[in-house]
């Protein structure tokens, strides 16, 4: 006679599955500065990137396993770190450039479902290359259709906002990656406006003037080229593509692009004003994993960022540029890029800044 199956086996399997799911969705602190107690006016932000959601194209496994585990990770992380806001550093969509407007909205709704009860937290989303497409397909109308559903972004995919006395500027870095195009000029215009805004704010003792106000007097009053700002006195800068990484030598700085993990890239530093154009120029930029050197210099000189947060990498990076500006690159929050999924918690104090990063166990 065949033996009866163990009646406890189904319960044991369910318990094992629940334990595995709990282990999988538990973040582990990897390093960084200890998170200080928040004082009045301080701000704590959760930085995530590269969620690569599929929206209405998501499979059963995506919605009932991956999204469920990711939602639990967000819940546990938010309960542990108690952030005041969430910032997505690009690529919230896996293939946004292929989506029509309704599919793009479905991606945002999918993310809202993942956040669950915490979807009411202030949220800022930066556009990435998977959201708007590569250089060969970059389209201003598409960017505008996406940006209008993301509070705080203008038609070029850039934005500026202030919360708890901390100023942020987010840039559409894909446009800066792709040489001469209308979007690039729009992004550069935003940088000039913000540079003027912060210089004006400094000259007026910190008084805030909205961009375009009469007190702001327009962009031409102060050019970023005569920037009176001191190092680190600008905004917190948010963008998807990391800035150009320089190598230091005994004779100075060598303009060799490097990936966020420190390995040297093989793409040349191409100026948008150079003769590279058309398909060949686009291919050069499409192979790039960092912004060109001239765009990096432009950003650092015009904005004098307090700190820079970027993404587009599968590992965490904490880099200091030759001028002393700090850039933190946040890893993808998905296994799809092959690395260890993770996120960062940034605490912006009035006198200090603390960064901690975590990953899935």
């Amino acid at each position: 006679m065949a033996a009866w199956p163990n009646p406890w086996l189904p319960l044991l399997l369910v318990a094992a599955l629940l334990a595995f799911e709990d282990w999988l969705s538990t973040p582990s602190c990897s390093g960084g500065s200890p998170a200080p107690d928040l004082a009045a006016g301080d701000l704590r932000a959760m930085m995530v990137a590269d969620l690569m959601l599929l929206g209405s194209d998501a499979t059963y496994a995506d919605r009932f396993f991956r999204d469920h585990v990711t939602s639990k990770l967000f819940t546990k992380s938010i309960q542990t770190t108690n952030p005041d806001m969430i910032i997505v550093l690009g690529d919230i969509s896996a293939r946004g450039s292929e989506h029509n407007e309704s599919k793009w909205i479905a991606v945002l709704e999918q993310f809202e479902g993942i956040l669950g009860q915490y979807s009411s937290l202030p949220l800022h989303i930066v556009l990435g290359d998977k959201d708007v497409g590569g250089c060969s397909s970059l389209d201003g109308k598409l960017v505008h259709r996406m940006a209008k559903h993301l509070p705080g972004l203008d038609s070029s995919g850039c934005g500026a906002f202030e919360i708890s006395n901390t100023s942020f500027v987010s840039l559409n870095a894909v446009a800066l990656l792709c040489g001469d195009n209308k979007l690039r000029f729009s992004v550069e215009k935003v940088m000039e406006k913000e540079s003027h805004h912060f210089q004006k704010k400094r000259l007026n003792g910190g008084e805030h003037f909205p961009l375009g106000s009469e007190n702001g007097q327009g962009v031409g009053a102060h050019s970023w080229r005569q920037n009176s700002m001191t190092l680190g006195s600008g905004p917190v800068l948010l963008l998807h593509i990391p800035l150009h990484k320089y190598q230091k030598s005994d004779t100075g700085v060598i303009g060799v692009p490097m990936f966020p993990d420190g390995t040297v890239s093989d793409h040349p530093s191409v100026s948008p004003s150079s003769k590279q154009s058309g398909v060949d120029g686009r291919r050069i930029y499409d192979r790039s994993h960092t912004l060109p050197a001239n765009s990096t210099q432009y950003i650092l000189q015009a904005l004098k960022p307090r700190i820079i947060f970027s993404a587009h990498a599968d590992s965490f990076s904490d880099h200091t540029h030759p001028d002393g500006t700090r850039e933190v690159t946040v890893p993808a929050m998905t296994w799809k890029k092959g690395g260890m999924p993770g996120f960062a918690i940034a605490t912006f104090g009035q006198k200090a800044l603390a960064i901690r990063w975590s990953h899935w166990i």
Side-chain angles (χ1 to χ4, degrees):
M1 179 181 293
W4 287 97
N6 188 336
W8 297 103
L9 185 59
L11 291 176
L12 291 174
L13 290 175
V14 170
L17 182 61
L18 292 174
F20 174 73
E21 180 190 271
D22 185 69
W23 170 81
L24 194 64
S25 61
T26 301
S28 173
C29 186
S30 303
S33 306
D37 294 331
L38 288 178
D42 290 355
L43 174 71
R44 182 168 294 160
M46 182 179 187
M47 305 278 184
V48 301
D50 300 276
L51 289 152
M52 294 195 283
L53 303 177
L54 292 169
S56 57
D57 294 332
T59 64
Y60 183 90
D62 283 326
R63 291 195 174 278
F64 293 95
F65 178 73
R66 178 173 174 264
D67 286 7
H68 177 66
V69 171
T70 304
S71 179
K72 289 192 68 174
L73 174 69
F74 268 104
T75 298
K76 290 184 179 181
S77 301
I78 291 172
Q79 289 173 348
T80 301
T81 61
N82 195 29
D84 299 300
M85 70 176 303
I86 298 172
I87 295 174
V88 182
L89 294 165
D91 284 358
I92 190 173
S93 171
R95 44 176 183 258
S97 61
E98 302 173 16
H99 290 338
N100 56 31
E101 194 164 348
S102 63
K103 285 196 171 186
W104 174 244
I105 293 173
V107 168
L108 301 180
E109 291 175 342
Q110 184 182 3
F111 184 52
E112 183 178 356
I114 288 173
L115 290 178
Q117 61 181 310
Y118 298 107
S119 61
S120 60
L121 282 172
L123 173 68
H124 183 78
I125 299 176
V126 179
L127 292 175
D129 60 305
K130 288 185 172 59
D131 297 318
V132 300
C135 295
S136 60
S137 59
L138 188 62
D139 177 65
K141 292 181 179 179
L142 172 67
V143 171
H144 175 62
R145 286 199 303 270
M146 291 181 165
K148 71 180 183 181
H149 295 288
L150 302 176
L153 295 190
D154 63 13
S155 59
S156 67
C158 298
F161 61 97
E162 188 171 308
I163 181 169
S164 298
N165 297 318
T166 301
S167 298
F168 294 85
V169 169
S170 66
L171 298 178
N172 178 359
V174 182
L176 295 175
L177 191 70
C178 297
D180 291 328
N181 61 82
K182 291 182 179 179
L183 275 176
R184 179 190 178 91
F185 300 142
S186 297
V187 174
E188 290 178 346
K189 195 72 171 179
V190 168
M191 285 193 279
E192 289 187 14
K193 285 184 177 181
E194 290 299 327
S195 178
H196 167 69
H197 162 67
F198 280 96
Q199 291 181 70
K200 189 71 176 178
K201 185 177 178 181
R202 177 176 177 270
L203 292 173
N204 286 275
E207 186 177 355
H208 180 81
F209 291 116
L211 294 181
S213 68
E214 292 182 4
N215 289 327
Q217 298 180 9
V219 178
H222 293 281
S223 170
W224 69 270
R225 295 171 181 83
Q226 288 81 43
N227 197 334
S228 62
M229 297 163 60
T230 57
L231 179 68
S233 63
V236 176
L237 181 61
L238 311 171
L239 71 174
H240 180 67
I241 307 293
L243 269 59
H244 174 97
K245 303 295 190 297
Y246 293 91
Q247 282 185 311
K248 293 182 179 180
S249 73
D250 294 335
T251 58
V253 177
I254 303 174
V256 179
M258 300 178 70
F259 293 117
D261 62 2
T263 58
V264 178
S265 166
D266 60 359
H267 82 276
S269 299
V270 181
S271 167
S273 60
S274 72
K275 295 181 180 179
Q276 287 286 354
S277 60
V279 175
D280 290 338
R282 288 171 178 169
R283 284 174 180 168
I284 288 173
Y285 281 111
D286 280 334
R287 291 200 302 269
S288 173
H289 288 256
T290 62
L291 290 181
N294 68 308
S295 294
T296 294
Q297 184 180 15
Y298 190 9
I299 289 170
L300 295 176
Q301 177 62 25
L303 297 176
K304 300 293 178 69
R306 180 181 180 184
I307 189 172
I308 300 167
F309 288 94
S310 59
H312 197 61
D314 56 10
S315 61
F316 182 89
S317 171
D318 193 341
H319 175 78
T320 301
H321 290 276
D323 71 343
T325 303
R326 184 181 181 188
E327 178 177 356
V328 173
T329 301
V330 179
M333 204 168 181
T334 177
W335 282 283
K336 290 185 177 182
K337 295 196 72 169
M340 180 68 72
F343 61 93
I345 297 292
T347 303
F348 302 96
Q350 297 303 301
K351 297 183 179 179
L353 173 66
I355 309 292
R356 290 191 70 79
W357 58 94
S358 299
H359 61 76
W360 272 313
I361 294 176

